[in-house]
Amino acid sequence: MESTISLFRHLYDHLPPLFPDEVKQKMSHALNHLENDQTITLEEVEDTMIEFGIEAWPWNQAYKEFLALAESKVGEHFLLPKLSASLQQKYHDFKVYGGTLRDLHSGNPAQFFTSEERGEVCAALVDMQLELRVYVDHEVKGMERSRYLKRVGEFKDLLENIEQTLEHLRNLANTEQDHPTLADEIRARVRSFEHSLCLLGPELNYDAICQSADFFKERKLHLSHMKGIHVPTEVDFYTQMD
């Protein structure tokens, strides 16, 4: 449970620029309560984090896009001065062989650099990310403000579609009477999607959400078919003999 609260603290401490103050204040109050209430349960912690994580999701998604765009444009400007001259040259060689700045985050070029060089690159990437955040914060509060807020609004529209789909799945689970295990599967899937909206799970897969209703309809047909297979067939031998 402490790790979940720590994730909630991380979510709060890294809220994107222009996030609504009134929501941030409510989030701060909720976080303070969770950190000091010894009777709180894990489910209650997750429910609270999901509630505020959903509020923050459109802002986080828009901010991540602006960060990624800034990295592609000016990331090297922040990265290269943090590398030694020899490592700068090796990074240029890495690019000649088809490597990119984005590849450095993935760990794929591990064999290209020595362990000492990888340590230097990792430290430089951390510093680069910090400087990029300062750069992007300045941009979205200034010249890119309207475009940033527009993108937040677009993610809010997408979130509305996601929440409608999740509500539909909850209704499927609540009305499922033939297969209780299927209802449990649906609820577990909804919970996993909720986790993905607030750092408790992997990156949200929008296509998976859209396909879930059809998946569970097929799952119900399959379970019903399998249930029929296991029903013994009664044969009236006396009637057949007549």
Side-chain angles (χ1 to χ4, degrees), residues 8 12 15 19-34 48 51-52 55:
F8 194 4
Y12 174 78
L15 288 171
F19 186 77
D21 286 337
E22 63 273 17
V23 181
K24 188 173 183 178
Q25 290 174 7
K26 292 178 181 179
M27 196 172 179
S28 175
H29 178 76
L31 181 57
N32 182 65
H33 173 70
L34 295 180
T48 304
E51 176 188 350
F52 288 105
E55 289 267 12

Side-chain angles (χ1 to χ4, degrees), residues 1-227:
M1 185 164 62
E2 290 182 3
S3 61
T4 304
I5 295 177
S6 295
L7 283 173
F8 194 4
R9 167 62 66 182
H10 178 83
L11 180 69
Y12 174 78
D13 288 340
H14 294 83
L15 288 171
L18 307 182
F19 186 77
D21 286 337
E22 63 273 17
V23 181
K24 188 173 183 178
Q25 290 174 7
K26 292 178 181 179
M27 196 172 179
S28 175
H29 178 76
L31 181 57
N32 182 65
H33 173 70
L34 295 180
E35 290 177 330
N36 293 282
D37 188 347
Q38 301 300 316
T39 66
I40 204 78
T41 67
L42 176 60
E43 184 176 6
E44 289 172 325
V45 173
E46 288 187 355
D47 286 343
T48 304
M49 187 170 175
I50 288 169
E51 176 188 350
F52 288 105
I54 288 175
E55 289 267 12
W57 186 80
W59 297 86
N60 283 328
Q61 295 302 113
Y63 188 69
K64 281 170 59 177
E65 282 193 355
F66 276 73
L67 268 179
L69 181 61
E71 181 177 297
S72 67
K73 288 183 175 181
V74 298
E76 289 184 353
H77 169 77
F78 292 114
L79 177 70
L80 291 177
K82 305 179 192 323
L83 302 177
S84 62
S86 61
L87 193 50
Q88 287 183 30
Q89 182 57 53
K90 196 160 186 179
Y91 172 72
H92 287 301
D93 294 340
F94 171 67
K95 290 182 63 180
V96 170
Y97 282 97
T100 65
L101 176 57
R102 176 51 51 183
D103 289 333
L104 294 181
H105 294 287
S106 66
N108 290 335
Q111 295 182 347
F112 194 88
F113 299 97
T114 67
S115 59
E116 292 80 6
E117 289 170 340
R118 290 198 297 272
E120 184 179 341
V121 168
C122 287
L125 284 173
V126 170
D127 289 342
M128 179 198 75
Q129 285 294 323
L130 293 175
E131 292 187 5
L132 273 177
R133 283 183 171 273
V134 173
Y135 172 83
V136 173
D137 287 359
H138 177 75
E139 289 287 296
V140 300
K141 291 176 182 177
M143 295 181 60
E144 295 290 341
R145 181 188 180 101
S146 60
R147 195 164 69 89
Y148 170 64
L149 293 178
K150 180 175 183 291
R151 195 67 181 119
V152 171
E154 290 169 349
F155 276 112
K156 284 183 178 181
D157 292 340
L158 180 59
L159 177 61
E160 185 175 343
N161 293 335
I162 292 171
E163 291 187 298
Q164 288 175 355
T165 301
L166 295 184
E167 185 61 26
H168 176 60
L169 291 174
R170 292 187 193 97
N171 290 335
L172 284 180
N174 293 336
T175 56
E176 177 55 55
Q177 299 181 4
D178 297 330
H179 308 286
T181 56
L182 179 60
D184 291 340
E185 284 182 38
I186 297 172
R187 293 189 182 99
R189 183 68 63 86
V190 170
R191 193 67 168 182
S192 70
F193 288 142
E194 290 175 333
H195 283 180
S196 295
L197 289 166
C198 62
L199 303 183
L200 291 174
E203 186 74 18
L204 187 72
N205 187 327
Y206 181 66
D207 289 337
I209 291 179
C210 295
Q211 296 165 7
S212 288
D214 289 338
F215 170 81
F216 284 116
K217 286 178 183 177
E218 291 292 327
R219 188 91 173 88
K220 179 179 174 68
L221 289 174
H222 174 73
L223 290 173
S224 298
H225 176 66
M226 296 300 293
K227 184 177 181 180

